[in-house]
């Protein structure tokens, strides 16, 4: 199991925690960024109402006019199996919401993760979810494409990330990560679907969960290759692969 505290015998709890250490590799390269006036406004803060004045913070990315990509462990699961309130605010910055917010209506995953607070490493390969929002907020901020990660890209510093790290500014400002490498990719299959677990050197902590691991491709096209989901002192972890690509494609046909 993995831990943001760096222990090998403890797992990653859901949501942000003040007790976590950073998953930072060498110098912390993250910096505060205003993403409201660029293509990066497709990224935003995800908040979930946990009740009793408690809330969770994650990150999400528009991948269609009404489709938002985030981490499965960020979902607000209710005890009856339903989905609790989940709000997406693109380009959120220190209390400002230049494009307003949208709310989750439905969610799809390829494989449901166990309802627990700690996971074995392989389980993170499935830690992604596509959320249908209640309005076409993507018409305002745009949406990003998806490319399936290739092992030939290993060890190249192609990949960037944006996340609402909860230990800095309490998740109130987006943090941008310059280009960093993905070291390895491992495929896991279940029910005829394959997903990838990708180990990377992207600096992150709670609140970055669900944020895009993305690259700039030919023609300055932004494409997501994975969803940032976990990390410890050794490496960070993203989920993705053909299972995620096929899910996005199918839902775009229905809701695009």
């Amino acid at each position: 199991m993995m831990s943001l505290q760096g222990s090998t015998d403890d797992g990653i709890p859901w949501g942000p925690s003040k007790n976590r250490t950073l998953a930072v590799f060498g110098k912390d390269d993250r910096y505060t960024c205003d993403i409201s006036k660029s293509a990066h406004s497709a990224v935003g803060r995800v908040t979930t109402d946990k009740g009793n004045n408690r809330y969770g913070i994650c990150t999400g990315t528009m991948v269609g006019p009404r489709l938002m990509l985030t981490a499965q462990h960020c979902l607000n699961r209710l005890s009856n199996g339903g989905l609790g309130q989940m709000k997406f605010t693109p380009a959120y910055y220190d209390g400002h919401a230049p494009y307003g917010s949208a709310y989750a209506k439905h969610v799809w995953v390829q494989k449901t993760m166990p309802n627990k607070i700690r996971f074995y490493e392989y389980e993170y390969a499935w830690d992604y979810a596509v959320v249908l929002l209640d309005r076409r907020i993507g018409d305002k901020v745009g949406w990003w494409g998806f490319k399936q990660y290739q092992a030939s890209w290993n060890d190249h510093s192609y990949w960037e990330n944006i996340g609402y790290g909860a230990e800095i500014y309490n998740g109130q400002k987006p943090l941008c990560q310059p280009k960093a490498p993905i070291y390895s990719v491992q495929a896991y299959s279940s029910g005829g679907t394959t997903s990838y677990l990708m180990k990377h050197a992207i600096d992150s902590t709670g609140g970055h969960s669900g944020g895009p691991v993305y690259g700039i491709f030919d023609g300055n096209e932004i494409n997501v290759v994975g969803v940032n989901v976990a990390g410890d002192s050794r490496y960070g972890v993203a989920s993705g692969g053909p299972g995620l690509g096929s899910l996005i494609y199918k839902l775009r046909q229905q809701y695009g």
Side-chain angles (χ1 to χ4, degrees), residues 104-123:
K105 287 182 64 69
H106 195 74
V107 62
W108 291 268
V109 301
Q110 285 287 23
K111 180 180 179 180
T112 301
M113 295 179 70
N115 189 12
K116 58 184 181 179
I117 63 173
R118 291 176 173 85
F119 299 100
Y120 289 101
E121 191 174 85
Y122 70 89
E123 292 176 301

Side-chain angles (χ1 to χ4, degrees), residues 35-44 60-68 88-92 97-101 133 135-144 222:
I35 58 177
S36 63
K37 295 180 175 63
S38 70
H40 296 88
S41 60
V43 179
T61 308
M62 295 302 295
V63 292
R66 292 180 63 192
L67 300 173
M68 185 266 292
F88 175 69
T89 307
Y92 178 89
Y99 303 101
S101 299
L133 301 175
R135 65 189 185 95
R136 293 173 61 95
I137 203 166
D139 289 339
K140 291 185 175 182
V141 301
W143 57 88
W144 290 1
I222 302 176

